[in-house]
Amino acid sequence: MKHHSLIFLTGFSGSGKSTIGPLLANSLGFEFIDLDREIEIAAGKSINRIFTEDGEAAFRALELRTLEKIGQQERMVVSLGGGVLENDRCFELIQTHGTLIYLKSSPEILTLRLQHKTDRPLLKGEDGRKLTREEIQQRIAELLKKREPRYLKADLVLSTDTKKIGASVEELTRKIERHIRRASKNNTNDK
């Protein structure tokens, strides 16, 4: 069953999901959950360790199981990992159970935000080495090209390149409240 008050934030790593998510949840009076953090708790180790020790396939299986539990909730904002929508079952679950919001950022801005991060497995070289700024931007562009068709299927899209965080949260809060009201009205009319 679709719960319009179950809000899923998607976007590339560095788009603002973990920053905007708790503020948005507070603004709406909802609970906030970071999917990656929930996976780390369930696995008893960091995302980096899961990728290194168990591989991406094991991580994606944990991601789906965790998402299935969250999908039954209401009045919650969930920050998704950047690649979760690549899994067809995860994507279908999100579309079926909640409202999907894409926090959109350009590869250039994402590179600025991520170039000094060391905790993003998909932004490391195959040998585990830290990528150069140019390699990071190229990797982001490649991954965005692959992921963005799914990101753009979101119910709402918000650019996070140039907006201040407070303005983004206010705009998103208004959009979500309108979306929930419209959806509730449509559900009432359908009965």
Side-chain angles (χ1 to χ4, degrees):
M1 178 178 178
K2 189 153 182 113
H3 303 286
H4 297 285
S5 65
L6 178 57
I7 310 298
F8 293 101
L9 299 180
T10 193
F12 201 85
S13 180
S15 63
K17 301 179 301 286
S18 295
T19 302
I20 290 172
L23 299 171
L24 177 63
N26 187 54
S27 176
L28 292 167
F30 290 5
E31 185 180 345
F32 173 75
I33 287 182
D34 184 302
L35 181 62
D36 284 348
R37 183 70 189 119
E38 293 299 307
I39 292 167
E40 288 178 332
I41 291 167
K45 53 185 160 183
S46 72
I47 300 296
N48 265 334
R49 277 191 52 212
I50 297 168
F51 267 76
T52 302
E53 296 172 8
D54 308 321
E56 186 174 355
F59 170 76
R60 296 297 174 199
L62 272 171
E63 189 174 56
L64 176 61
R65 283 197 304 275
T66 307
L67 196 54
E68 286 170 339
K69 291 177 190 168
I70 292 170
Q72 304 308 312
Q73 306 298 315
E74 292 185 60
R75 300 184 55 80
M76 185 177 290
V77 174
V78 181
S79 171
L80 299 171
V84 70
L85 298 186
E86 291 181 70
N87 179 318
D88 291 339
R89 289 181 61 205
C90 288
F91 183 62
E92 182 182 310
L93 190 144
I94 290 163
Q95 285 195 310
T96 303
H97 291 285
T99 299
L100 182 62
I101 299 170
Y102 173 29
L103 301 182
K104 182 177 173 66
S105 291
S106 69
E108 297 78 21
I109 295 297
L110 292 168
T111 300
L112 286 173
R113 293 177 184 166
L114 294 172
Q115 64 186 338
H116 300 296
K117 300 275 185 182
T118 58
D119 62 342
R120 313 294 161 117
L122 293 178
L123 294 179
K124 291 183 178 179
E126 289 189 21
D127 56 359
R129 72 173 172 80
K130 185 178 180 334
L131 299 177
T132 66
R133 185 182 192 288
E134 293 75 23
E135 289 171 322
I136 291 172
Q137 188 162 339
Q138 182 179 351
R139 175 79 54 88
I140 289 170
E142 290 167 1
L143 287 169
L144 261 180
K145 184 177 180 181
K146 181 176 159 188
R147 294 176 178 178
E148 195 158 51
R150 282 269 169 102
Y151 289 161
L152 290 171
K153 290 185 179 184
D155 298 293
L156 301 169
V157 177
L158 179 73
S159 173
T160 61
D161 275 357
T162 58
K163 290 187 179 89
K164 292 190 181 334
I165 291 171
S168 293
V169 170
E170 286 176 24
E171 180 181 344
L172 207 44
T173 301
R174 285 192 306 275
K175 285 182 174 185
I176 290 168
E177 288 172 340
R178 279 194 306 267
H179 179 77
I180 292 171
R181 277 195 302 274
R182 271 195 314 269
S184 296
K185 185 178 175 186
N186 288 340
N187 286 346
T188 304
N189 290 341
D190 290 343
K191 292 180 181 176

